[in-house]
Amino acid sequence: MMCLPYFILQEVQCEYFAYTHPRNDILYSLNTVKITFNFESLLLLMKIAVNHLIMIFALSAVLLLKIPKLHKYPPQFYIDSGSLHHQAALIMLTFVIHREPVLEMKAIYFMTPTAKCVEALIADFKPKPKYKAAYVYFTDYCPDELFNNMKLYCAKYIRVCKEINISFMPQEAQVFTCDNPEAFQSIYSPHCQDKKKKTLETLADQLVTLCATLDEYPGVRYKKDSNMVNAKTLAELVDNKLARHYEMDDSGKKKGKTQAQLLIVERGFDPVSPILHELTYQAMAYDLIDIQSDTYKYKSKDGAEKQALLNEDDMLWVKLRHKHIAEVSEQIPKMVKEISANKKQPDGKITISNLAQMMKKMPSFRKQLTEKTVHLQLAEDCMKHFSNNVEKLCKAEQDLAVGLDVDGQKVKDPMRTLLPVLLHPYSTHDKIRAVLLYIFSLNGTTDENLSKLIQHVKIEDQREFILNWKELGVPIITSSSIFNRKPPRRDRSQEEKYNLSRWTPVIKDVMEDAVENKLDTREWPHQSECPAAWNGSGAVSARQKHKASAQDERRTGSRLIIFVIGGITYSEMRSAYEVTQAVKSCEVIIGSSHILTPTSLLDDIKVLSKGPMEVFTIDERSNA
C-alpha cells in the first residue's frame, strides 16, 4: 500500500526560487520565497531535480542553523507571523541581497507557475544572463501564456523545464489539503461569488496534481444536491483537467483509467460531525486545547514552558491519535512505567559492559520518556475539560445527533434533550453547538422557534452563527408543514463501545458504500466512469489480470480518494484510516481545502454574511 508522500514535502509554497553555489564560499540568494521544507525533504528534492548540478537550497529557520556559510553574507528578512496560521512553520522571507551574475554557473529555479515568478525568471536572463543555464521546475501545470513568454525571452538558456505536480499539502499518511482555508469564504460567501470560479479552478488543478503524484487516473463522482452545485462544478473541472493531463503520458501513450475513484462532496453534506464534541484523542485535543500549527504548548512539573509538535514523526501520536480518550488515558501511564522498569538493570550487576550498554540506550530512553510525558500531559488536559463540562454535554449531543438514546429508544422530543443544556451555565459556543445539533436533528426549524432559541442563548447580535448555515445548503428555517426526510444510516449499534461516542461521521458510510460498490448512482452520479473492473474489495476478473507494474507491487487493490469542499474534520480523517484498516485491499485517502475544528468552522460561518471589506485583515510585518 502506497501512502501519500508525506516524507517528500511537509509544506511548500514557493513564489520564486533560484540558487547557485560557486566556489563553495558565496551564497547567492533569492528574491522572494514563501517556503517550508524539512531537512529530509530538501535532500530528496535535490535527488529528484538533478544529479549533475550543484545543489538545491531551501531556506527556513531550521536551515539557517544547519548551513553556517549562509552567515558569511547574512540576508535581511522579515517574518510574516500572519502567514503562520494553519501551518507548522510557514515563514515569509524577503531577501534584499543583490545577486551578481555568475556566468560560469548553472541555476535551478523551483517555483509556482505564476506571472510574477516567470517575470522574475525572465529578468535573470534579459537583457543579459546572470547564469550559464537554467533548470526550471514548476510546482504545477504552467499555463501556455506563461510558458510561451518564458520561451520567447530565455529559451536558449533553459536546459530543463518540468512540472513536478506538488501543489497540495500531505498532512498525514492518508490526508492531504490544498492549504487554502480562504476557499471557504470564496465558495460560500454570497459577497465573494466573483472569486468562486477561480477558487474552484485552483482546487481542480491541485486535485489533478494529487492524482498525478499518486499515478492515478480515477473515475470521478460527486454528491448530487438540489440546492448546491459546487461539487458538480468541481467534478466537471477535475475530470476535464485530468483528461488533458493524461492525454499523453511519458511513453507517448494515452493513459487509461486506473483502479481508483474520486468522490467530491460539499461540507453541508454532513453538518453534524464538525459541530459534535469528539472523544477520540486527536479530534478531542484539537477541539478543546489551544493547539496552533500542530504545536502543543504546556508547562512541565518544574514550571518550565515547553512545546511539542504533533505530527507523523511522533510515532506515539500516530499510534494513539485515533483511540478513544479513555483508552489513551489508560495506556500512557502503563507505557511510562514500562520504560522506567526497562531502564533498570535486572540482575543488579554493575559492569563496564553493562554501563556502556546503558549509556548507549540513554538517548533512546530519554526520547521515549519525553514522548510519553508529552502525551500524558495532553491526555490529562483533555480529561480536565471532559470532567468540567464536556461529559455532561456529550450525552445530550449524542442523543440529538444519533436520534436515539443510550438504550436505543427514539428521541421523540429533541427540545427536552436540548433544554437542560440551555439552562446550564455552559459557554456560549457550546450552547450554539447544541442548538445547531437540535436544528440539524429536525432538518430545520420554524422562524418563531429559532428566535426563541437565539434569545435563550443570548446571541441576538450574533445570530449569523446559526443563520449562515443556509449558505452551505443546510436547512435552518423550514415551514412546519414541510416534512424533511433524513437519509438512512448504516446500523452501527453492534459497533458502539462508548455511550458518549455513538455518532459516526456520514462520510464513513460513503467510504464503505463506495468500497462495496453500493453507492446509488442517482445520488452519486458519474462524471466519468471508473474502469469496468473497479471493485473496492480488490477483486479483479480473470480478463482484467495483467502483469504487476512497479506501482502495483507497492500496493494491491484499489484507491478511493474523497475530497470535501469546505474543510474536513479530524473524525472524518480518522474514518479514512478505519475503513482502510478494515478493508485492507482498498486505500482511502481524504482531503479538502483545509482541516477545520468546531471553533474555526463557527468563526468562518459567522463572517459569511459580511462583505469582503469587513473580513479583510492586514498582516503586521517587522524586520527581523
Side-chain angles (χ1 to χ4, degrees):
M1 184 176 293
M2 187 183 79
C3 295
L4 284 171
Y6 180 86
F7 62 94
I8 295 181
L9 289 173
Q10 284 187 323
E11 302 159 22
V12 58
Q13 282 191 338
C14 303
E15 289 186 2
Y16 173 62
F17 180 77
Y19 173 68
T20 59
H21 189 211
R23 297 181 299 282
N24 262 344
D25 61 355
I26 299 176
L27 176 69
Y28 287 87
S29 181
L30 10 157
N31 285 356
T32 303
V33 65
K34 186 180 180 183
I35 185 167
T36 303
F37 282 93
N38 63 10
F39 193 60
E40 293 75 17
S41 302
L42 173 64
L43 296 176
L44 186 55
L45 188 59
M46 287 161 55
K47 294 177 184 177
I48 292 174
V50 283
N51 294 320
H52 59 285
L53 290 182
I54 320 127
M55 64 179 283
I56 282 188
F57 173 73
L59 182 62
S60 72
V62 176
L63 292 179
L64 275 167
L65 303 177
K66 291 185 178 287
I67 306 178
K69 291 186 183 297
L70 179 66
H71 300 287
K72 182 167 184 178
Y73 297 95
Q76 299 175 16
F77 61 89
Y78 64 79
I79 298 178
D80 176 9
S81 60
S83 299
L84 297 178
H85 74 255
H86 293 100
Q87 295 302 329
L90 200 58
I91 295 174
M92 172 71 94
L93 302 173
T94 297
F95 291 82
V96 294
I97 292 179
H98 176 64
R99 290 180 291 117
E100 297 294 335
V102 191
L103 295 176
E104 69 272 22
M105 301 303 298
K106 303 168 186 176
I108 298 169
Y109 293 80
F110 180 59
M111 56 194 189
T112 51
T114 63
K116 183 180 177 181
C117 294
V118 172
E119 286 168 8
L121 167 66
I122 292 171
D124 277 356
F125 293 91
K126 177 189 173 186
K128 293 182 179 180
K130 285 186 177 179
Y131 309 110
K132 182 178 179 180
Y135 291 73
V136 182
Y137 295 86
F138 288 114
T139 61
D140 198 353
Y141 171 77
C142 182
D144 291 343
E145 182 183 355
L146 296 180
F147 181 82
N148 292 333
N149 200 26
M150 184 176 65
K151 181 179 174 183
L152 178 64
Y153 292 105
C154 47
K156 66 179 181 180
Y157 299 105
I158 296 176
R159 297 290 180 269
V160 170
C161 183
K162 280 194 173 183
E163 297 157 346
I164 54 178
N165 298 316
I166 53 168
S167 64
F168 64 93
M169 298 293 181
Q171 299 289 338
E172 295 180 3
Q174 290 174 231
V175 180
F176 71 94
T177 73
C178 295
D179 188 36
N180 188 4
E182 293 77 15
F184 187 87
Q185 295 294 324
S186 300
I187 293 173
Y188 292 115
S189 173
H191 301 284
C192 297
Q193 292 304 294
D194 56 326
K195 297 180 182 178
K196 181 190 287 191
K197 183 179 179 182
K198 184 178 179 181
T199 300
L200 290 173
E201 284 270 3
T202 302
L203 293 177
D205 287 332
Q206 291 175 291
L207 280 171
V208 170
T209 69
L210 170 80
C211 294
T213 300
L214 296 174
D215 194 30
E216 296 286 13
Y217 187 2
V220 181
R221 302 176 74 172
Y222 63 92
K223 179 66 174 73
K224 191 174 181 180
D225 190 323
S226 58
N227 298 320
M228 308 297 288
V229 295
N230 298 314
K232 183 177 188 297
T233 302
L234 184 58
E236 291 172 351
L237 289 169
V238 171
D239 193 51
N240 292 334
K241 289 175 184 290
L242 279 170
R244 288 198 299 271
H245 180 83
Y246 284 123
E247 192 171 4
M248 289 291 179
D249 63 12
D250 293 337
S251 62
K253 297 179 181 178
K254 188 173 182 179
K255 185 179 180 72
K257 294 280 186 178
T258 57
Q259 287 292 309
Q261 275 200 76
L262 169 61
L263 305 183
I264 298 174
V265 62
E266 298 208 41
R267 180 64 272 165
F269 166 70
D270 175 12
V272 173
S273 294
I275 295 301
L276 210 63
H277 277 92
E278 258 276 347
L279 298 183
T280 48
Y281 189 33
Q282 183 184 40
M284 188 178 188
Y286 277 82
D287 181 9
L288 303 179
I289 311 299
D290 185 23
I291 298 174
Q292 299 294 331
S293 304
D294 297 327
T295 302
Y296 168 54
K297 295 181 180 180
Y298 64 102
K299 285 188 177 182
S300 59
K301 291 182 179 179
D302 60 4
E305 291 189 358
K306 294 190 175 183
Q307 61 182 39
L309 194 60
L310 305 175
N311 62 13
E312 302 283 280
D313 295 330
D314 184 344
M315 298 311 296
L316 185 57
W317 170 249
V318 173
K319 179 180 179 180
L320 297 175
R321 64 189 174 193
H322 298 145
K323 293 182 180 294
H324 194 277
I325 190 63
E327 297 173 40
V328 174
S329 299
E330 182 183 338
Q331 289 182 21
I332 295 177
K334 289 181 180 178
M335 292 176 181
V336 174
K337 288 180 181 178
E338 287 173 7
I339 291 177
S340 301
N342 292 335
K343 193 175 176 181
K344 298 175 182 177
Q345 280 299 112
D347 55 7
K349 295 179 180 178
I350 304 297
T351 66
I352 297 295
S353 176
N354 285 344
L355 285 172
Q357 290 298 318
M358 287 176 66
M359 291 300 290
K360 287 180 181 178
K361 292 179 180 179
M362 279 299 288
S364 175
F365 280 130
R366 194 177 295 114
K367 181 182 178 184
Q368 290 179 44
L369 195 58
T370 300
E371 282 183 353
K372 289 168 180 61
T373 303
V374 167
H375 291 290
L376 185 63
Q377 181 66 50
L378 180 56
E380 285 180 359
D381 284 353
C382 289
M383 287 306 295
K384 284 178 186 176
H385 285 275
F386 177 76
S387 301
N388 291 340
N389 286 317
V390 176
E391 184 175 8
K392 296 174 184 176
L393 274 169
C394 280
K395 183 184 182 305
E397 288 184 350
Q398 290 292 319
D399 288 356
L400 290 171
V402 179
L404 304 171
D405 62 19
V406 291
D407 299 319
Q409 299 299 312
K410 184 178 179 180
V411 176
K412 296 180 179 179
D413 186 1
M415 180 55 77
R416 292 185 64 181
T417 304
L418 174 65
L419 200 55
V421 177
L422 299 183
L423 296 176
H424 193 278
Y426 292 117
S427 70
T428 301
H429 256 63
D430 283 339
K431 289 185 178 182
I432 290 172
R433 288 166 71 168
V435 167
L436 284 168
L437 290 172
Y438 164 78
I439 295 171
F440 298 157
S441 72
L442 299 172
N443 266 3
T445 187
T446 63
D447 199 356
E448 180 185 359
N449 193 28
L450 180 60
S451 295
K452 290 179 182 178
L453 290 171
I454 289 174
Q455 288 174 8
H456 269 296
V457 186
K458 298 179 180 177
I459 55 167
E460 288 88 348
D461 58 340
Q462 302 180 73
R463 57 180 64 224
E464 295 88 354
F465 277 125
I466 297 174
L467 293 176
N468 285 354
W469 282 86
K470 68 179 185 295
E471 305 297 348
L472 277 66
V474 179
I476 297 298
I477 299 176
T478 57
S479 169
S480 57
S481 61
I482 298 177
F483 175 72
N484 290 312
R485 187 178 64 87
K486 298 183 75 172
R489 296 294 309 275
R490 285 192 171 221
D491 180 12
R492 299 185 185 273
S493 56
Q494 300 304 312
E495 301 174 21
E496 292 172 5
K497 188 176 179 181
Y498 298 97
N499 289 337
L500 302 184
S501 298
R502 287 172 283 136
W503 171 262
T504 300
V506 179
I507 203 69
K508 187 173 183 181
D509 289 2
V510 173
M511 293 172 182
E512 291 173 340
D513 286 346
V515 165
E516 297 168 12
N517 217 9
K518 292 181 179 178
L519 285 180
D520 189 336
T521 54
R522 291 169 296 181
E523 295 183 5
W524 293 87
H526 291 269
Q527 185 61 40
S528 62
E529 293 288 341
C530 301
W534 159 263
N535 187 331
S537 65
V540 180
S541 68
R543 293 182 182 181
Q544 296 289 337
K545 287 182 180 178
H546 61 281
K547 185 177 179 180
S549 64
Q551 180 79 7
D552 294 329
E553 288 173 359
R554 286 194 290 270
R555 67 175 180 88
T556 57
S558 310
R559 184 176 273 135
L560 177 65
I561 304 169
I562 310 277
F563 187 80
V564 182
I565 301 174
I568 48 172
T569 69
Y570 288 98
S571 59
E572 290 167 335
M573 289 160 55
R574 184 187 72 248
S575 297
Y577 292 92
E578 289 173 345
V579 174
T580 300
Q581 184 62 31
V583 179
K584 290 184 171 56
S585 58
C586 181
E587 181 182 29
V588 181
I589 292 172
I590 190 167
S592 182
S593 52
H594 62 298
I595 299 171
L596 52 82
T597 63
T599 300
S600 68
L601 178 59
L602 286 176
D603 290 343
D604 285 342
I605 290 285
K606 183 184 176 184
V607 298
L608 281 179
S609 55
K610 295 185 178 180
M613 292 305 294
E614 294 178 270
V615 297
F616 180 75
T617 58
I618 299 175
D619 294 328
E620 293 182 4
R621 297 175 177 178
S622 59
N623 290 327

